[in-house]
Amino acid sequence: MRAGGFRLTLGTYNTPELAARAYDAAWRFRRPRRDMNFPDVESLEEAEFLAPTPCLVDDEDRRRHRQVQRRIAIAEHDEELMRQWRAQFPNDVDNTDAFFADLRAHRRSHRRHRRAVAEFELDNPNTTWADNDPRWEDIWTETTSDDE
């Protein structure tokens, strides 16, 4: 429904009667009662009670909607290309999985090494680390998890 340069969205309804009542919310735009679906509605208050307040859609809403639709289209296109790529090059998927498994193992090994160095410095009476050295925190580093 259009009114004064704006598009008025009344929403979606489960029954035609509810949709017609929402359309009758045109009381807000001073439409004559004879043009209404339910001329038995006597007042603006009754029409507002029977139909929810409509949403005005302006240019900014349209711009945001177009932007969201473009982003969705790009994401769907990317997903389709990835699906095709996985189907065409299954070895690459296996190689990618192996790469990330190796990366997790390397990070785990690096955490273990940092923790061992920190524990060594803790037991070393001649340590060169200052009391506020952030490497002391490596003592508390978890070394059994694949989180990173």
Side-chain angles (χ1 to χ4, degrees), residues 6-22:
F6 289 97
R7 191 177 89 191
L8 183 66
T9 6
L10 299 175
T12 55
Y13 300 90
N14 293 332
T15 66
E17 182 176 289
L18 289 175
R21 287 209 182 271

Side-chain angles (χ1 to χ4, degrees), residues 1 14 24 30 54 57 59 139:
M1 172 180 224
N14 293 332
D24 279 355
R30 309 292 185 243
V57 178
D59 290 337
I139 289 174

Side-chain angles (χ1 to χ4, degrees), residues 99-117:
F99 168 80
F100 284 110
D102 289 346
L103 183 61
R104 283 190 300 274
H106 173 75
R107 287 179 176 168
R108 194 170 39 253
S109 171
H110 186 66
R111 284 194 308 266
R112 285 185 181 131
H113 174 74
R114 286 190 342 248
R115 181 174 179 166
V117 169

Side-chain angles (χ1 to χ4, degrees), residues 3 6 12 14 17 33 41 45 49 57 63 66-67 72 84 99 106-107 113 116 146-147:
F6 289 97
T12 55
N14 293 332
E17 182 176 289
R33 277 188 28 205
V41 176
E45 291 76 24
F49 176 76
V57 178
R63 186 192 66 75
R66 282 191 306 269
Q67 184 179 33
I72 290 171
Q84 291 173 4
F99 168 80
H106 173 75
R107 287 179 176 168
H113 174 74
D146 286 343
D147 291 339

Side-chain angles (χ1 to χ4, degrees), residues 79-107:
E79 288 174 7
E80 175 60 21
L81 290 175
M82 286 301 293
R83 187 193 61 72
Q84 291 173 4
W85 177 75
R86 278 191 222 89
Q88 191 171 358
F89 303 104
N91 288 341
D92 286 351
V93 174
D94 295 339
N95 292 343
T96 302
D97 292 343
F99 168 80
F100 284 110
D102 289 346
L103 183 61
R104 283 190 300 274
H106 173 75
R107 287 179 176 168

